[in-house]
Amino acid sequence: ALLLPPRAKDIQSMNILGLQYKVDSQKENTAGTSITSNIVFSKFKQNINSRTLHKKFIQENGLMELLAPDKTPETRDEDIYLRFAELIQLGDVKGSTSISIELHDADIAVQWVNGLIEFVDRETIAMLLDDLRNSIENELRNIEYTIASKRLMAKQRREDQIIRYEEASTIAENLGIKRRVDATNIIQNTQMNVDIATATTPLYYLGLEALSTEISILKNRKSDDPFIGGLRDLQEQLALLRSINFDQEKMTTVNIDQAAYPPKYPIKPNRRLIVSLTTVVGLFSGAFLAFFIEFIQNQRKKHS
């Protein structure tokens, strides 16, 4: 069989903006980097040689008896898996990746090659989607932790604000400030008053009535969400990530340029070569035998 990397549309749904896809243990795509056809095809070729997938393929298709018809109790399963791995031959043919199996039965070999490609393609897609789903779960957890942290800090800030307002209302009550006071009307033209004017206006200038109203509203607030900056953006990201659904049926990690087919003539044994060699060897052997017999007869005559 001849294989090519998948087309862009075959892996399009795997590319999710903002997610990190881990290519291997040493390298990781940056956020938003696309999963390319070459990355996916490389993963497929890696899995073609996977002993774990070979074992699963053999077990799912019941190939143990075909691979080891003379199996005895002493025969190890690992030896059978190794024998199957040695049958698979990978190569390059004019820019394509070739996969072939040499077997005593060409039809069975064709079934194994095409079946193995389909099986590994399906398993590779499942692995890639597992990685993507894991990335989505990690991103969801990070956003949820961020939202929870923001809500906790918003509650703490509201409680701190209530304490400040309660303290200011006590001062306003003691000073007899019931309504809002314009600070500019009570500041005189002295250096001390200039320094006071340049500072932050005290909260108790709001007046006892305004402060009491603020305290009451803050205590009765049911939710801090509308007052948390960036919260709605985070919630939008959550909704987007939770709505992602992969259509596995439309995905493929390999483009089959040519499916496996049985050869017209067997590779082994090469009957033409055998017949040719047999003919040549037979002629030389017959000539040698004729000369040898004549030599023996001449020796007998001389001896007589």
Side-chain angles (χ1 to χ4, degrees), residues 186-198:
I186 62 174
I187 295 177
Q188 304 299 323
N189 293 326
T190 63
Q191 184 61 41
M192 180 181 295
N193 291 333
V194 170
D195 293 338
I196 294 175
T198 56

Short mmCIF file of all heavy atoms in Angstrom, two decimals, residues 186-198:
data_model
loop_
_atom_site.label_atom_id
_atom_site.label_comp_id
_atom_site.label_asym_id
_atom_site.label_seq_id
_atom_site.Cartn_x
_atom_site.Cartn_y
_atom_site.Cartn_z
N ILE A 186 -15.15 74.08 52.86
CA ILE A 186 -14.68 74.13 54.25
C ILE A 186 -13.18 74.24 54.34
O ILE A 186 -12.63 74.25 55.45
CB ILE A 186 -15.17 72.89 55.02
CG1 ILE A 186 -14.61 71.63 54.40
CG2 ILE A 186 -16.68 72.84 55.06
CD1 ILE A 186 -14.95 70.39 55.21
N ILE A 187 -12.52 74.25 53.20
CA ILE A 187 -11.06 74.35 53.21
C ILE A 187 -10.66 75.82 53.09
O ILE A 187 -11.13 76.53 52.21
CB ILE A 187 -10.44 73.53 52.07
CG1 ILE A 187 -10.73 72.04 52.28
CG2 ILE A 187 -8.95 73.77 51.97
CD1 ILE A 187 -10.24 71.15 51.18
N GLN A 188 -9.83 76.30 54.01
CA GLN A 188 -9.39 77.70 54.05
C GLN A 188 -8.05 77.83 53.33
O GLN A 188 -7.36 76.83 53.05
CB GLN A 188 -9.25 78.15 55.51
CG GLN A 188 -10.50 77.97 56.32
CD GLN A 188 -11.67 78.76 55.78
OE1 GLN A 188 -11.50 79.89 55.28
NE2 GLN A 188 -12.87 78.18 55.85
N ASN A 189 -7.68 79.07 53.00
CA ASN A 189 -6.46 79.32 52.26
C ASN A 189 -5.25 79.35 53.18
O ASN A 189 -4.60 80.40 53.38
CB ASN A 189 -6.56 80.66 51.51
CG ASN A 189 -7.59 80.59 50.41
OD1 ASN A 189 -7.75 79.54 49.81
ND2 ASN A 189 -8.28 81.71 50.17
N THR A 190 -4.94 78.25 53.79
CA THR A 190 -3.72 78.11 54.58
C THR A 190 -2.92 76.97 54.00
O THR A 190 -3.44 76.14 53.25
CB THR A 190 -4.05 77.81 56.05
OG1 THR A 190 -4.72 76.55 56.12
CG2 THR A 190 -4.93 78.89 56.65
N GLN A 191 -1.62 76.94 54.36
CA GLN A 191 -0.77 75.88 53.81
C GLN A 191 -1.28 74.52 54.24
O GLN A 191 -1.29 73.57 53.47
CB GLN A 191 0.69 76.08 54.26
CG GLN A 191 1.67 75.06 53.66
CD GLN A 191 1.71 75.13 52.15
OE1 GLN A 191 1.70 76.22 51.57
NE2 GLN A 191 1.72 73.98 51.50
N MET A 192 -1.75 74.41 55.50
CA MET A 192 -2.27 73.13 55.99
C MET A 192 -3.49 72.71 55.19
O MET A 192 -3.63 71.55 54.78
CB MET A 192 -2.61 73.23 57.47
CG MET A 192 -3.16 71.92 58.06
SD MET A 192 -3.59 72.10 59.80
CE MET A 192 -1.95 72.39 60.48
N ASN A 193 -4.36 73.67 54.93
CA ASN A 193 -5.57 73.35 54.18
C ASN A 193 -5.27 73.00 52.73
O ASN A 193 -5.98 72.21 52.11
CB ASN A 193 -6.55 74.51 54.25
CG ASN A 193 -7.11 74.67 55.66
OD1 ASN A 193 -7.19 73.71 56.41
ND2 ASN A 193 -7.49 75.90 56.01
N VAL A 194 -4.21 73.59 52.17
CA VAL A 194 -3.79 73.22 50.81
C VAL A 194 -3.34 71.78 50.76
O VAL A 194 -3.66 71.02 49.84
CB VAL A 194 -2.66 74.16 50.32
CG1 VAL A 194 -2.07 73.63 49.02
CG2 VAL A 194 -3.20 75.57 50.13
N ASP A 195 -2.60 71.38 51.80
CA ASP A 195 -2.15 69.98 51.86
C ASP A 195 -3.34 69.03 51.98
O ASP A 195 -3.38 67.96 51.37
CB ASP A 195 -1.21 69.79 53.06
CG ASP A 195 0.09 70.55 52.89
OD1 ASP A 195 0.43 70.86 51.73
OD2 ASP A 195 0.77 70.83 53.90
N ILE A 196 -4.35 69.46 52.76
CA ILE A 196 -5.54 68.62 52.90
C ILE A 196 -6.29 68.52 51.57
O ILE A 196 -6.79 67.47 51.18
CB ILE A 196 -6.46 69.19 54.00
CG1 ILE A 196 -5.76 69.09 55.35
CG2 ILE A 196 -7.79 68.46 54.03
CD1 ILE A 196 -6.53 69.74 56.49
N ALA A 197 -6.36 69.63 50.84
CA ALA A 197 -7.10 69.66 49.57
C ALA A 197 -6.46 68.77 48.53
O ALA A 197 -7.14 68.20 47.67
CB ALA A 197 -7.20 71.10 49.07
N THR A 198 -5.15 68.67 48.58
CA THR A 198 -4.46 67.84 47.59
C THR A 198 -4.55 66.36 47.94
O THR A 198 -4.22 65.51 47.12
CB THR A 198 -2.98 68.25 47.48
OG1 THR A 198 -2.37 68.15 48.79
CG2 THR A 198 -2.86 69.66 46.96
#
